[in-house]
Amino acid sequence: MTAFHCIEDLRRAAHRRVPRMFMDYLESGSWSESTLHANRAAWDTMPLRQRVAVDVSRRTLATTLLGRAASLPLAMAPLGLLGMQRADGEILAARACANAGVPFVLSTMSISPLEAVAAASPSPLWFQLYMMRDRGVVAALIERARAVGCGALVLTLDLQVLGKRHADVRNGLSAPPRLTPRTMLDLARHPLWCLRLLGTRHRGFGNLQGLLPAGTDTRSLVSWIETQFDPAVTWLHVEWVRQRWDGPLIIKGILDAEDARLAVEAGADAVVVSNHGGRQLDGAPASAHALPDVLQAIGSRAEVHVDGGIRSGQDLLRALALGARGVWAGRTLGYGLAADGERGVTRAIDILREELDRSMALTGQTDAAAISRAALVASRACDAP
Ligand SMILES: Cc1cc2nc3c(=O)[nH]c(=O)nc-3n(C[C@H](O)[C@H](O)[C@H](O)COP(=O)(O)O)c2cc1C
């Protein structure tokens, strides 16, 4: 059994165990990937303030996210096609998150349908919704989320058109994979992955059954998104969603202070400062750099969460120090799933938890929910534009 000491161990194992086209899908960003890299660089260049001779013998990581207890200030960001990283991936990840006391956000573009994931999860999912042109489909998804008891609705607004990811287009990515000589060779190198996928009935886009033909390839998916994802969405549509969903509403994909204010006016209970993990507007700022202005614009009117480039507990600590209430990790937990299924997600969460806990001790912090800018070296902490 492989020992995974850090997230990088899980990432390497994921590369060995999952066909290349799905690792490319997980890792790539849009166009030149400058925003993808900026996300990482922003955390990396934010020095933590080492403190000594502080009694840190009693530390707590527990917090609440939208009124619900969380064992640490972490959520698993919605990732499309998790069921292609590992058969039944959404079910495995949701279970791992629930058992670890961390909210799991199920993507609209999941492989397993939300009913199957909710039935397998010991605690309520959060459901991520895209605003589609066919309002009947959107209303039906909201109704399904309500029917299975989802704890929050996450409306993603930064995908009105699709950012171009060259690797996915080159790979002809599809779910299930399209069989070309190249993909057949790739799959032949991963027999266990194939066997697992053959052993489940979840192989298409589970939430969109009937809307998307099985085996939809990238080109058809892109044209479907272009017909179905609505470039005409405005805040009026957000209010339309708000009227149909009476639970907590989270708006994801906010990078701008003005948009943050508008999100609160449209009824958001929380926003996620996010550039979609560098997969949408290439050239957009790192989410760490956008966070302070959004926090200032919103004040205490809604919770502010952040994602993008979180790869360690030290990054989590930096995000909390800037003022985020919750920190979402996408690829980091995706690596865990791809590397070792449910156990891998549990391990990834444990690694982040342990790194956060020890880093809190070394910065003189004892309560994750009370970490402030004082945990960052002052001169650099103020550098963020
Ligand atoms: C493979 C992949 C698929 C994603 N799919 C979705 C999605 O379906 N819905 C959504 O709102 N965000 C999606 N995102 C964006 C993530 O929710 C999140 O914003 C991003 O992954 C955070 O960056 P990180 O991966 O560096 O942590 C996706 C990201 C990745 C990497």
Side-chain angles (χ1 to χ4, degrees):
M1 166 115 177
T2 325
F4 301 115
H5 300 291
C6 59
I7 299 301
E8 182 57 19
D9 287 347
L10 290 165
R11 193 184 75 84
R12 288 209 192 106
H15 272 269
R16 289 193 297 275
R17 292 172 192 180
V18 173
R20 165 92 190 265
M21 64 155 69
F22 295 110
M23 282 316 293
D24 281 353
Y25 171 70
L26 183 63
E27 298 212 290
S28 58
S30 56
W31 288 287
S32 74
E33 303 192 327
S34 72
T35 297
L36 173 79
H37 298 303
N39 277 347
R40 282 288 320 122
W43 300 122
D44 265 348
T45 51
M46 206 179 285
L48 292 166
R49 184 173 168 212
Q50 174 175 300
R51 298 300 307 276
V52 295
V54 179
D55 179 356
V56 289
S57 52
R58 292 158 74 91
R59 303 186 293 279
T60 176
L61 272 57
T63 188
T64 58
L65 300 175
L66 288 156
R68 180 179 139 189
S71 70
L72 73 164
L74 175 72
M76 179 158 182
L79 301 180
L81 272 65
L82 273 183
M84 288 291 135
Q85 302 302 338
R86 176 89 165 209
D88 293 329
E90 291 88 4
I91 291 175
L92 302 177
R95 220 187 271 142
C97 286
N99 289 330
V102 165
F104 170 78
V105 189
L106 182 72
S107 164
T108 296
M109 307 303 283
S110 64
I111 300 295
S112 296
L114 80 104
E115 290 76 7
V117 184
S121 172
S123 60
L125 312 173
W126 293 1
F127 182 65
Q128 177 267 323
L129 183 71
Y130 283 122
M131 196 69 200
M132 286 169 242
R133 231 183 259 267
D134 184 337
R135 302 286 185 262
V137 171
V138 181
L141 283 170
I142 295 174
E143 196 39 55
R144 286 169 65 188
R146 189 194 336 276
V148 300
C150 286
L153 190 67
V154 178
L155 182 62
T156 299
L157 290 184
D158 60 5
L159 206 135
Q160 269 166 291
V161 296
L162 196 63
K164 195 159 181 186
R165 301 161 206 154
H166 298 305
D168 291 352
V169 178
R170 270 188 217 114
N171 289 334
L173 180 89
S174 63
R178 190 158 43 97
L179 294 181
T180 63
R182 198 162 151 241
T183 45
M184 268 158 61
L185 191 65
D186 193 9
L187 298 182
R189 292 200 183 107
H190 300 93
L192 194 56
W193 180 94
C194 295
L195 273 178
R196 288 196 180 107
L197 197 67
L198 290 172
T200 175
R201 57 200 170 83
H202 300 135
R203 290 200 289 265
F205 287 96
N207 295 322
L208 306 173
Q209 233 112 50
L211 294 171
L212 269 172
T216 296
D217 64 13
T218 329
R219 200 167 301 156
S220 336
L221 184 63
V222 168
S223 40
W224 184 83
I225 286 178
E226 260 144 33
T227 58
Q228 270 304 313
F229 284 43
D230 192 350
V233 168
T234 68
W235 294 105
L236 291 177
H237 300 98
V238 177
E239 285 168 19
W240 180 89
V241 170
R242 176 72 285 183
Q243 280 155 19
R244 275 160 185 78
W245 175 260
D246 50 15
L249 178 67
I250 305 173
I251 303 292
K252 177 169 179 283
I254 297 293
L255 273 192
D256 182 87
E258 181 60 16
D259 284 347
R261 267 190 289 273
L262 293 166
V264 173
E265 278 164 28
D269 299 293
V271 301
V272 188
V273 177
S274 172
N275 49 38
H276 216 102
R279 294 160 78 81
Q280 284 296 101
L281 177 62
D282 192 33
S287 40
H289 289 168
L291 178 61
D293 281 353
V294 171
L295 278 159
Q296 202 180 13
I298 288 195
S300 58
R301 290 183 294 156
E303 288 190 8
V304 178
H305 300 195
V306 68
D307 74 16
I310 299 292
R311 298 287 177 275
S312 67
Q314 289 78 9
D315 292 340
L316 256 157
L317 175 46
R318 292 175 171 112
L320 298 172
L322 286 184
R325 168 126 199 155
V327 185
W328 296 23
R331 294 176 180 89
T332 291
L333 302 188
Y335 294 141
L337 177 75
D340 202 16
E342 183 175 338
R343 258 191 321 222
V345 178
T346 304
R347 184 69 195 119
I349 295 171
D350 283 347
I351 290 169
L352 294 180
R353 189 196 309 279
E354 212 228 348
E355 289 174 345
L356 172 61
D357 181 50
R358 285 179 186 250
S359 303
M360 279 171 53
L362 294 168
T363 50
Q365 305 289 328
T366 54
D367 180 357
I371 293 173
S372 72
R373 279 213 175 210
L376 300 174
V377 173
S379 56
R380 296 293 183 84
C382 301
D383 274 351

